[in-house]
Amino acid sequence: MDGGSTVHSIGDLRVHQLLAAVSQSARTRLLDLTAARLREQPDWPALRDTITAWCESGFNLVRASTALHIHRNTVVYRMNKIEQLTGRPLREHRTAMALYLACLADRLGGPDR
C-alpha cells in the first residue's frame, strides 16, 4: 500500500481490504467530507502520516512519534494543527477513526483523485 516491501499479515490489512472494495467515488466522498481542509495544506502528507501513526499506535503519543521517527512535540504540534483545521479533537475516537479511514482512502488513490 505504501510502496514499501514490508510483509504484512492479512489480518492487519482487513480495513484496507474493506476500503478497496468500496467504490472510488465513495472513498473520494469520505475524503472530501472528512479531510478537505487538511488536504489543502502543503504538509498534507505529513498530517496524513501523523493521523495514520496516531491510530495505528493505539492512540499513544510516544509510539506514534517513534513510528514517525520524529520528536513527540512534533506529533503534538501536528495533532493540534489537525484539530484546529477540522474543529474536532483527535483524542475522540470517532474523529480519529473517520480521519484514519479518510487517510487510508487517500493512500489508495484512484483515477478521479
Tab-separated table of all heavy atoms in Angstrom, residues 17-62:
chain	number	residue	atom	x	y	z
A	17	GLN	N	-8.554	-3.690	2.958
A	17	GLN	CA	-9.308	-4.532	2.038
A	17	GLN	C	-10.749	-4.027	1.926
A	17	GLN	O	-11.299	-3.944	0.825
A	17	GLN	CB	-9.287	-5.979	2.538
A	17	GLN	CG	-9.990	-6.958	1.643
A	17	GLN	CD	-9.960	-8.365	2.242
A	17	GLN	OE1	-9.961	-8.538	3.464
A	17	GLN	NE2	-9.949	-9.368	1.384
A	18	LEU	N	-11.342	-3.668	3.038
A	18	LEU	CA	-12.702	-3.149	3.041
A	18	LEU	C	-12.790	-1.848	2.243
A	18	LEU	O	-13.679	-1.674	1.412
A	18	LEU	CB	-13.172	-2.927	4.480
A	18	LEU	CG	-14.568	-2.356	4.652
A	18	LEU	CD1	-15.616	-3.342	4.152
A	18	LEU	CD2	-14.811	-1.999	6.106
A	19	LEU	N	-11.863	-0.937	2.483
A	19	LEU	CA	-11.857	0.334	1.752
A	19	LEU	C	-11.640	0.122	0.262
A	19	LEU	O	-12.244	0.812	-0.563
A	19	LEU	CB	-10.772	1.262	2.296
A	19	LEU	CG	-11.164	2.105	3.492
A	19	LEU	CD1	-9.954	2.886	3.992
A	19	LEU	CD2	-12.301	3.032	3.174
A	20	ALA	N	-10.781	-0.810	-0.096
A	20	ALA	CA	-10.520	-1.084	-1.507
A	20	ALA	C	-11.764	-1.641	-2.198
A	20	ALA	O	-11.942	-1.453	-3.408
A	20	ALA	CB	-9.350	-2.051	-1.653
A	21	ALA	N	-12.642	-2.300	-1.448
A	21	ALA	CA	-13.858	-2.867	-2.014
A	21	ALA	C	-14.942	-1.815	-2.244
A	21	ALA	O	-15.881	-2.042	-2.999
A	21	ALA	CB	-14.390	-3.974	-1.106
A	22	VAL	N	-14.796	-0.672	-1.607
A	22	VAL	CA	-15.759	0.420	-1.754
A	22	VAL	C	-15.413	1.186	-3.027
A	22	VAL	O	-14.244	1.314	-3.388
A	22	VAL	CB	-15.688	1.348	-0.516
A	22	VAL	CG1	-16.548	2.574	-0.691
A	22	VAL	CG2	-16.066	0.590	0.736
A	23	SER	N	-16.414	1.719	-3.684
A	23	SER	CA	-16.166	2.437	-4.935
A	23	SER	C	-15.253	3.639	-4.717
A	23	SER	O	-15.226	4.234	-3.635
A	23	SER	CB	-17.480	2.914	-5.552
A	23	SER	OG	-18.026	3.971	-4.798
A	24	GLN	N	-14.529	3.983	-5.764
A	24	GLN	CA	-13.634	5.141	-5.701
A	24	GLN	C	-14.426	6.412	-5.387
A	24	GLN	O	-13.970	7.246	-4.626
A	24	GLN	CB	-12.861	5.306	-7.012
A	24	GLN	CG	-11.970	6.539	-7.051
A	24	GLN	CD	-10.924	6.546	-5.957
A	24	GLN	OE1	-10.342	5.523	-5.642
A	24	GLN	NE2	-10.692	7.693	-5.361
A	25	SER	N	-15.614	6.552	-5.939
A	25	SER	CA	-16.404	7.757	-5.677
A	25	SER	C	-16.807	7.834	-4.204
A	25	SER	O	-16.819	8.924	-3.618
A	25	SER	CB	-17.634	7.822	-6.586
A	25	SER	OG	-18.497	6.729	-6.346
A	26	ALA	N	-17.103	6.713	-3.574
A	26	ALA	CA	-17.441	6.703	-2.146
A	26	ALA	C	-16.219	7.054	-1.305
A	26	ALA	O	-16.325	7.807	-0.326
A	26	ALA	CB	-17.996	5.347	-1.734
A	27	ARG	N	-15.046	6.536	-1.680
A	27	ARG	CA	-13.819	6.886	-0.945
A	27	ARG	C	-13.502	8.362	-1.104
A	27	ARG	O	-13.099	9.030	-0.146
A	27	ARG	CB	-12.647	6.028	-1.426
A	27	ARG	CG	-12.755	4.575	-1.026
A	27	ARG	CD	-11.459	3.806	-1.223
A	27	ARG	NE	-10.830	3.997	-2.497
A	27	ARG	CZ	-10.896	3.127	-3.520
A	27	ARG	NH1	-11.593	2.023	-3.402
A	27	ARG	NH2	-10.261	3.370	-4.648
A	28	THR	N	-13.707	8.880	-2.294
A	28	THR	CA	-13.444	10.303	-2.541
A	28	THR	C	-14.398	11.163	-1.726
A	28	THR	O	-13.995	12.175	-1.144
A	28	THR	CB	-13.577	10.626	-4.047
A	28	THR	OG1	-12.605	9.845	-4.746
A	28	THR	CG2	-13.336	12.096	-4.318
A	29	ARG	N	-15.667	10.760	-1.658
A	29	ARG	CA	-16.646	11.491	-0.848
A	29	ARG	C	-16.230	11.508	0.617
A	29	ARG	O	-16.285	12.547	1.278
A	29	ARG	CB	-18.024	10.842	-1.012
A	29	ARG	CG	-19.100	11.776	-1.424
A	29	ARG	CD	-20.494	11.175	-1.545
A	29	ARG	NE	-20.663	9.748	-1.353
A	29	ARG	CZ	-20.691	8.840	-2.338
A	29	ARG	NH1	-20.552	9.208	-3.591
A	29	ARG	NH2	-20.872	7.568	-2.069
A	30	LEU	N	-15.822	10.348	1.135
A	30	LEU	CA	-15.357	10.264	2.520
A	30	LEU	C	-14.189	11.213	2.744
A	30	LEU	O	-14.164	11.979	3.715
A	30	LEU	CB	-14.934	8.831	2.863
A	30	LEU	CG	-14.213	8.648	4.200
A	30	LEU	CD1	-15.154	8.906	5.359
A	30	LEU	CD2	-13.599	7.263	4.286
A	31	LEU	N	-13.249	11.185	1.844
A	31	LEU	CA	-12.073	12.038	1.955
A	31	LEU	C	-12.455	13.518	1.908
A	31	LEU	O	-11.991	14.315	2.715
A	31	LEU	CB	-11.097	11.686	0.842
A	31	LEU	CG	-9.702	12.255	0.883
A	31	LEU	CD1	-9.007	11.938	2.188
A	31	LEU	CD2	-8.890	11.706	-0.278
A	32	ASP	N	-13.327	13.871	0.983
A	32	ASP	CA	-13.752	15.266	0.842
A	32	ASP	C	-14.526	15.754	2.060
A	32	ASP	O	-14.334	16.883	2.520
A	32	ASP	CB	-14.600	15.453	-0.415
A	32	ASP	CG	-13.783	15.327	-1.692
A	32	ASP	OD1	-12.534	15.384	-1.624
A	32	ASP	OD2	-14.397	15.137	-2.759
A	33	LEU	N	-15.393	14.911	2.589
A	33	LEU	CA	-16.213	15.318	3.732
A	33	LEU	C	-15.446	15.325	5.045
A	33	LEU	O	-15.781	16.060	5.966
A	33	LEU	CB	-17.430	14.385	3.858
A	33	LEU	CG	-18.458	14.482	2.739
A	33	LEU	CD1	-19.490	13.366	2.873
A	33	LEU	CD2	-19.121	15.845	2.744
A	34	THR	N	-14.416	14.524	5.132
A	34	THR	CA	-13.696	14.362	6.399
A	34	THR	C	-12.408	15.166	6.468
A	34	THR	O	-12.076	15.696	7.523
A	34	THR	CB	-13.369	12.864	6.625
A	34	THR	OG1	-14.573	12.126	6.496
A	34	THR	CG2	-12.776	12.629	7.991
A	35	ALA	N	-11.690	15.268	5.354
A	35	ALA	CA	-10.337	15.832	5.419
A	35	ALA	C	-10.054	16.910	4.379
A	35	ALA	O	-8.901	17.179	4.080
A	35	ALA	CB	-9.325	14.702	5.285
A	36	ALA	N	-11.087	17.545	3.860
A	36	ALA	CA	-10.882	18.540	2.794
A	36	ALA	C	-9.931	19.654	3.217
A	36	ALA	O	-9.002	20.006	2.481
A	36	ALA	CB	-12.224	19.118	2.347
A	37	ARG	N	-10.145	20.220	4.395
A	37	ARG	CA	-9.279	21.323	4.846
A	37	ARG	C	-7.849	20.858	5.081
A	37	ARG	O	-6.905	21.603	4.853
A	37	ARG	CB	-9.833	21.962	6.120
A	37	ARG	CG	-11.140	22.684	5.821
A	37	ARG	CD	-11.500	23.769	6.757
A	37	ARG	NE	-10.479	24.780	6.896
A	37	ARG	CZ	-10.276	25.468	8.008
A	37	ARG	NH1	-11.012	25.226	9.080
A	37	ARG	NH2	-9.336	26.387	8.077
A	38	LEU	N	-7.687	19.627	5.518
A	38	LEU	CA	-6.344	19.088	5.733
A	38	LEU	C	-5.622	18.891	4.403
A	38	LEU	O	-4.434	19.179	4.276
A	38	LEU	CB	-6.405	17.755	6.481
A	38	LEU	CG	-6.976	17.804	7.899
A	38	LEU	CD1	-7.125	16.397	8.455
A	38	LEU	CD2	-6.109	18.659	8.798
A	39	ARG	N	-6.356	18.413	3.409
A	39	ARG	CA	-5.753	18.158	2.096
A	39	ARG	C	-5.313	19.438	1.398
A	39	ARG	O	-4.469	19.399	0.511
A	39	ARG	CB	-6.735	17.387	1.215
A	39	ARG	CG	-6.950	15.976	1.728
A	39	ARG	CD	-7.931	15.206	0.889
A	39	ARG	NE	-7.319	14.884	-0.391
A	39	ARG	CZ	-7.992	14.821	-1.520
A	39	ARG	NH1	-9.273	15.088	-1.565
A	39	ARG	NH2	-7.377	14.494	-2.637
A	40	GLU	N	-5.862	20.565	1.789
A	40	GLU	CA	-5.471	21.853	1.206
A	40	GLU	C	-4.115	22.324	1.722
A	40	GLU	O	-3.521	23.223	1.146
A	40	GLU	CB	-6.514	22.923	1.538
A	40	GLU	CG	-7.871	22.675	0.918
A	40	GLU	CD	-8.950	23.599	1.467
A	40	GLU	OE1	-8.674	24.349	2.438
A	40	GLU	OE2	-10.066	23.572	0.925
A	41	GLN	N	-3.649	21.724	2.787
A	41	GLN	CA	-2.405	22.149	3.418
A	41	GLN	C	-1.199	21.608	2.657
A	41	GLN	O	-1.222	20.467	2.184
A	41	GLN	CB	-2.340	21.658	4.872
A	41	GLN	CG	-3.494	22.119	5.741
A	41	GLN	CD	-3.623	23.623	5.758
A	41	GLN	OE1	-2.673	24.340	6.051
A	41	GLN	NE2	-4.806	24.116	5.427
A	42	PRO	N	-0.142	22.425	2.554
A	42	PRO	CA	1.060	21.944	1.863
A	42	PRO	C	1.714	20.752	2.562
A	42	PRO	O	2.403	19.961	1.919
A	42	PRO	CB	1.991	23.155	1.848
A	42	PRO	CG	1.421	24.134	2.798
A	42	PRO	CD	-0.024	23.798	3.010
A	43	ASP	N	1.468	20.609	3.856
A	43	ASP	CA	2.046	19.492	4.596
A	43	ASP	C	1.049	18.341	4.782
A	43	ASP	O	1.178	17.543	5.706
A	43	ASP	CB	2.604	19.958	5.940
A	43	ASP	CG	1.562	20.612	6.841
A	43	ASP	OD1	0.464	20.963	6.344
A	43	ASP	OD2	1.850	20.785	8.039
A	44	TRP	N	0.078	18.237	3.871
A	44	TRP	CA	-0.917	17.165	3.949
A	44	TRP	C	-0.284	15.785	4.098
A	44	TRP	O	-0.721	15.011	4.954
A	44	TRP	CB	-1.871	17.212	2.757
A	44	TRP	CG	-2.642	15.947	2.538
A	44	TRP	CD1	-2.620	15.167	1.425
A	44	TRP	CD2	-3.544	15.294	3.441
A	44	TRP	NE1	-3.452	14.072	1.577
A	44	TRP	CE2	-4.028	14.119	2.807
A	44	TRP	CE3	-3.986	15.559	4.742
A	44	TRP	CZ2	-4.927	13.246	3.407
A	44	TRP	CZ3	-4.873	14.683	5.337
A	44	TRP	CH2	-5.337	13.549	4.686
A	45	PRO	N	0.749	15.421	3.338
A	45	PRO	CA	1.321	14.079	3.537
A	45	PRO	C	1.808	13.852	4.978
A	45	PRO	O	1.620	12.765	5.534
A	45	PRO	CB	2.473	14.030	2.539
A	45	PRO	CG	2.052	14.980	1.459
A	45	PRO	CD	1.359	16.099	2.192
A	46	ALA	N	2.403	14.849	5.600
A	46	ALA	CA	2.862	14.708	6.986
A	46	ALA	C	1.680	14.615	7.943
A	46	ALA	O	1.704	13.826	8.900
A	46	ALA	CB	3.758	15.875	7.370
A	47	LEU	N	0.635	15.391	7.692
A	47	LEU	CA	-0.556	15.328	8.539
A	47	LEU	C	-1.236	13.963	8.391
A	47	LEU	O	-1.655	13.354	9.377
A	47	LEU	CB	-1.530	16.454	8.179
A	47	LEU	CG	-1.014	17.880	8.379
A	47	LEU	CD1	-2.047	18.889	7.892
A	47	LEU	CD2	-0.626	18.134	9.821
A	48	ARG	N	-1.321	13.478	7.161
A	48	ARG	CA	-1.903	12.154	6.897
A	48	ARG	C	-1.106	11.066	7.622
A	48	ARG	O	-1.671	10.185	8.267
A	48	ARG	CB	-1.925	11.890	5.398
A	48	ARG	CG	-2.526	10.541	5.038
A	48	ARG	CD	-2.393	10.245	3.567
A	48	ARG	NE	-0.971	10.212	3.227
A	48	ARG	CZ	-0.481	10.484	2.031
A	48	ARG	NH1	-1.275	10.818	1.035
A	48	ARG	NH2	0.814	10.423	1.809
A	49	ASP	N	0.216	11.145	7.530
A	49	ASP	CA	1.060	10.154	8.206
A	49	ASP	C	0.911	10.226	9.718
A	49	ASP	O	0.968	9.205	10.406
A	49	ASP	CB	2.522	10.344	7.812
A	49	ASP	CG	2.790	9.991	6.363
A	49	ASP	OD1	1.911	9.377	5.715
A	49	ASP	OD2	3.875	10.341	5.867
A	50	THR	N	0.708	11.423	10.237
A	50	THR	CA	0.532	11.598	11.682
A	50	THR	C	-0.776	10.968	12.144
A	50	THR	O	-0.804	10.253	13.153
A	50	THR	CB	0.567	13.092	12.050
A	50	THR	OG1	1.827	13.633	11.641
A	50	THR	CG2	0.386	13.304	13.549
A	51	ILE	N	-1.847	11.208	11.418
A	51	ILE	CA	-3.136	10.593	11.759
A	51	ILE	C	-3.018	9.076	11.706
A	51	ILE	O	-3.459	8.374	12.624
A	51	ILE	CB	-4.245	11.085	10.806
A	51	ILE	CG1	-4.505	12.573	11.031
A	51	ILE	CG2	-5.526	10.267	10.991
A	51	ILE	CD1	-5.309	13.242	9.931
A	52	THR	N	-2.405	8.576	10.657
A	52	THR	CA	-2.248	7.128	10.497
A	52	THR	C	-1.423	6.543	11.645
A	52	THR	O	-1.815	5.536	12.252
A	52	THR	CB	-1.597	6.819	9.138
A	52	THR	OG1	-2.403	7.379	8.098
A	52	THR	CG2	-1.461	5.322	8.926
A	53	ALA	N	-0.301	7.166	11.952
A	53	ALA	CA	0.553	6.664	13.040
A	53	ALA	C	-0.159	6.748	14.387
A	53	ALA	O	-0.043	5.834	15.212
A	53	ALA	CB	1.862	7.451	13.082
A	54	TRP	N	-0.893	7.815	14.612
A	54	TRP	CA	-1.639	8.003	15.866
A	54	TRP	C	-2.625	6.847	16.065
A	54	TRP	O	-2.683	6.245	17.132
A	54	TRP	CB	-2.355	9.351	15.835
A	54	TRP	CG	-3.312	9.604	16.947
A	54	TRP	CD1	-4.668	9.695	16.845
A	54	TRP	CD2	-3.012	9.822	18.336
A	54	TRP	NE1	-5.221	9.943	18.076
A	54	TRP	CE2	-4.234	10.027	19.005
A	54	TRP	CE3	-1.835	9.852	19.068
A	54	TRP	CZ2	-4.314	10.268	20.373
A	54	TRP	CZ3	-1.903	10.091	20.435
A	54	TRP	CH2	-3.123	10.297	21.072
A	55	CYS	N	-3.358	6.529	15.030
A	55	CYS	CA	-4.349	5.456	15.135
A	55	CYS	C	-3.696	4.073	15.218
A	55	CYS	O	-4.102	3.244	16.025
A	55	CYS	CB	-5.312	5.523	13.954
A	55	CYS	SG	-6.347	6.996	13.983
A	56	GLU	N	-2.689	3.855	14.389
A	56	GLU	CA	-2.053	2.537	14.366
A	56	GLU	C	-1.167	2.281	15.582
A	56	GLU	O	-0.773	1.142	15.818
A	56	GLU	CB	-1.276	2.368	13.064
A	56	GLU	CG	-2.212	2.261	11.866
A	56	GLU	CD	-1.513	2.112	10.533
A	56	GLU	OE1	-0.264	2.187	10.476
A	56	GLU	OE2	-2.237	1.931	9.528
A	57	SER	N	-0.871	3.319	16.336
A	57	SER	CA	-0.076	3.139	17.550
A	57	SER	C	-0.969	3.041	18.788
A	57	SER	O	-0.482	3.161	19.909
A	57	SER	CB	0.907	4.304	17.717
A	57	SER	OG	0.195	5.499	17.989
A	58	GLY	N	-2.257	2.865	18.576
A	58	GLY	CA	-3.168	2.737	19.716
A	58	GLY	C	-3.408	4.051	20.418
A	58	GLY	O	-3.633	4.076	21.626
A	59	PHE	N	-3.344	5.148	19.676
A	59	PHE	CA	-3.569	6.489	20.222
A	59	PHE	C	-2.557	6.826	21.312
A	59	PHE	O	-2.878	7.457	22.306
A	59	PHE	CB	-5.010	6.641	20.739
A	59	PHE	CG	-6.034	6.160	19.754
A	59	PHE	CD1	-6.690	4.955	19.952
A	59	PHE	CD2	-6.319	6.888	18.618
A	59	PHE	CE1	-7.622	4.484	19.037
A	59	PHE	CE2	-7.253	6.431	17.692
A	59	PHE	CZ	-7.897	5.232	17.913
A	60	ASN	N	-1.331	6.384	21.099
A	60	ASN	CA	-0.243	6.596	22.049
A	60	ASN	C	0.779	7.549	21.427
A	60	ASN	O	1.365	7.241	20.378
A	60	ASN	CB	0.397	5.257	22.406
A	60	ASN	CG	1.505	5.393	23.415
A	60	ASN	OD1	2.580	5.883	23.090
A	60	ASN	ND2	1.243	4.944	24.626
A	61	LEU	N	0.994	8.672	22.081
A	61	LEU	CA	1.860	9.721	21.566
A	61	LEU	C	3.305	9.255	21.370
A	61	LEU	O	3.916	9.509	20.328
A	61	LEU	CB	1.819	10.931	22.512
A	61	LEU	CG	2.569	12.166	22.107
A	61	LEU	CD1	2.050	12.721	20.789
A	61	LEU	CD2	2.443	13.215	23.193
A	62	VAL	N	3.850	8.566	22.336
A	62	VAL	CA	5.245	8.113	22.250
A	62	VAL	C	5.412	7.096	21.122
A	62	VAL	O	6.348	7.183	20.322
A	62	VAL	CB	5.725	7.534	23.604
A	62	VAL	CG1	7.107	6.922	23.482
A	62	VAL	CG2	5.712	8.621	24.673
